[in-house]
Amino acid sequence: MARQTMRSKTLYHNILRLLPTFEAAARRESFTLAGEEVGLSQSSVSKQIIQLESRLGQPLFARAHKQISLTPAGDRLLRAYSAAASQIIDALEDLIQDRSRQQIVLSTSTANATFMLLPRVAEVRECFGGGEIFVVTADPQGIEPTGQVDLVFTFGEPDFPGLTLRPLFSDIMTPVCSPEFLEKNGPLLKVTDLQNCELLYMQAQHPSWVGWRQWLREFSLEPPKNQRTMGFNNYYNLIQACLAGQGVALGYLRVLGELLEAGRLVTPLPEFRQTEDKYHIAWPSHRPPDFPIQRFEEWLTRRYGGPIKGFSLSGD
């Protein structure tokens, strides 16, 4: 079997080396013109075509007086060769572009990408002076551990080693719900009213994430027992359920700013908890960015680091 496989590889290799001459002859419809293109004499081109036809066991050209034309087998081979050559050209163009362009791989969480960066993607692109941006999402912290990432935008100090961190600003957490949910289940006037609501929760996947239990204990309360509720392992999905009127979620207001401004979510209570953790930008310590990050840092701080209407933070 191994010898047969080796013979097959040798056969196909011998055939492949003849294909450029065949393609030139088929395209130019002349052995003479094909020879001028590939640097062979007319007779050498003719010999190579005969070798190819012999190995394939059928004619590829119909010969007439000083004229050649493709047979059905030749036409089939030309179409297959042209398609393969087109794929090779596409791959070469991609490789050349990859070498010449500057691609910035920006990693963040699904929620940060969806709610903070993508709604203002034109502004994000301006921060990097026209460089190509490839956005990678990874949960829970937004750090893609492949080693190919150039810049990270994350909440909480990353667990991954080898990153240089630059802290930005903290956030605040307060209950959020859709206006429709509030109209149907409200009013919510004090924290104890939450005990009569379905509290949507996210499974803690990192110490930086605060759940209902920790948040309610700030106000000397415990989550209601035996309550039917929904849980998620992804903050984006949690907020989608909240938008659909399925319950109350703990809202990170910097993340949800666009939804709050649009009135799709509301904050029914004045009580809140300021996060101990902050948002960060980070990059591999062994490979500092070779592009400016100051504009992106300034944009994040200007757009998301300022005062939050109706709430007062300390320490930022």
Side-chain angles (χ1 to χ4, degrees):
M1 181 64 71
R3 290 181 180 178
Q4 183 178 356
T5 301
M6 184 63 69
R7 285 196 297 270
S8 297
K9 288 182 178 180
T10 302
L11 172 63
Y12 291 137
H13 176 76
N14 289 335
I15 291 175
L16 288 173
R17 69 179 179 82
L18 299 172
L19 291 181
T21 302
F22 160 77
E23 189 274 339
R27 178 166 38 80
R28 304 295 294 270
E29 297 182 335
S30 167
F31 288 169
T32 300
L33 295 178
E36 293 176 358
E37 183 172 316
V38 299
L40 296 173
S41 66
Q42 185 272 342
S43 60
S44 296
V45 171
S46 180
K47 288 179 181 178
Q48 287 199 12
I49 299 301
I50 292 172
Q51 290 179 34
L52 182 58
E53 291 175 324
S54 175
R55 288 186 169 89
L56 296 177
Q58 52 190 314
L60 300 174
F61 290 95
R63 279 89 163 168
H65 180 65
K66 294 185 178 180
Q67 186 176 0
I68 59 172
S69 60
L70 287 171
T71 65
D75 181 68
R76 179 182 177 186
L77 180 59
L78 178 63
R79 284 188 281 110
Y81 182 90
S82 299
S86 178
Q87 291 182 349
I88 293 172
I89 291 172
D90 289 344
L92 290 173
E93 289 181 350
D94 288 342
L95 290 171
I96 292 171
Q97 290 178 9
D98 286 342
R99 183 184 63 185
S100 62
R101 70 194 180 197
Q102 182 186 53
Q103 185 183 73
I104 300 168
V105 181
L106 173 60
S107 183
T108 192
S109 67
T110 305
N112 287 352
T114 303
F115 298 130
M116 301 177 79
L117 301 185
L118 296 185
R120 298 178 178 271
V121 67
E123 296 177 22
V124 174
R125 297 185 70 180
E126 288 180 3
C127 292
F128 297 101
E132 179 180 338
I133 303 173
F134 188 86
V135 179
V136 178
T137 57
D139 294 311
Q141 267 206 299
I143 302 172
E144 171 58 45
T146 60
Q148 303 302 313
V149 170
D150 298 306
L151 193 62
V152 177
F153 173 48
T154 183
F155 177 77
E157 291 194 12
D159 289 336
F160 290 90
L163 290 175
T164 298
L165 305 179
R166 184 169 293 174
L168 300 176
F169 40 79
S170 61
D171 208 336
I172 64 174
M173 303 181 66
T174 191
V176 297
C177 63
S178 68
E180 296 77 15
F181 179 89
L182 187 61
E183 182 179 356
K184 181 179 179 180
N185 299 277
L188 300 180
L189 302 177
K190 50 188 182 298
V191 176
T192 52
D193 291 339
L194 292 172
Q195 295 181 313
N196 300 318
C197 297
E198 184 166 351
L199 303 181
L200 306 174
Y201 72 94
M202 196 182 85
Q203 182 182 22
Q205 296 179 316
H206 188 268
S208 62
W209 287 90
V210 175
W212 278 114
R213 186 178 302 279
Q214 298 99 308
W215 193 89
L216 288 170
R217 282 179 178 174
E218 288 283 315
F219 308 96
S220 303
L221 294 174
E222 290 288 336
K225 296 180 179 180
N226 302 320
Q227 183 193 62
R228 182 178 60 86
T229 188
M230 293 181 67
F232 304 86
N233 68 345
N234 178 290
Y235 194 63
Y236 169 79
N237 294 334
L238 171 73
I239 296 302
Q240 293 304 309
C242 187
L243 289 167
Q246 296 302 301
V248 181
L250 269 178
Y252 286 76
L253 297 196
R254 298 206 189 277
V255 176
L256 304 178
E258 293 280 334
L259 298 175
L260 293 166
E261 291 175 12
R264 297 183 63 194
L265 290 177
V266 295
T267 55
L269 297 172
E271 287 81 6
F272 68 93
R273 170 176 171 170
Q274 184 169 341
T275 62
E276 296 179 4
D277 288 288
K278 293 188 175 186
Y279 293 90
H280 295 77
I281 56 173
W283 56 88
S285 299
H286 70 282
R287 185 166 45 84
D290 58 359
F291 52 88
I293 63 172
Q294 183 178 359
R295 290 182 64 183
F296 183 54
E297 179 183 359
E298 291 175 348
W299 177 81
L300 286 170
T301 302
R302 181 176 66 252
R303 180 64 188 87
Y304 295 107
I308 297 176
K309 186 177 179 180
F311 300 90
S312 177
L313 285 77
S314 62
D316 278 354

